[in-house]
Amino acid sequence: MASRRFRRFDIAPLRRILKGWPIHRLIIGGYVLVTVLTLFAPEEIVGVAYDSGGVTTSTITLP
């Protein structure tokens, strides 16, 4: 039963295609959101959060 339900994040890519939203605006919006949230996050966790995000998306961070 749970596999039949669509969550909001499952429908977001479909909504982008159907409404014709350009993907670059969504990506830029995501970066702006992350940057704003960084301003409010504790300084001790910012580096860990960015490194964790890099591991998840498989980017390489070098010192």
Side-chain angles (χ1 to χ4, degrees), residues 27-38:
I27 292 172
I28 292 170
Y31 277 114
V32 169
L33 177 66
V34 166
T35 304
V36 169
L37 290 175
T38 300

Side-chain angles (χ1 to χ4, degrees), residues 29-63:
Y31 277 114
V32 169
L33 177 66
V34 166
T35 304
V36 169
L37 290 175
T38 300
L39 298 173
F40 297 103
E43 188 176 328
E44 301 85 24
I45 199 169
V46 172
V48 175
Y50 276 103
D51 281 343
S52 298
V55 168
T56 305
T57 58
S58 121
T59 57
I60 299 173
T61 54
L62 300 173

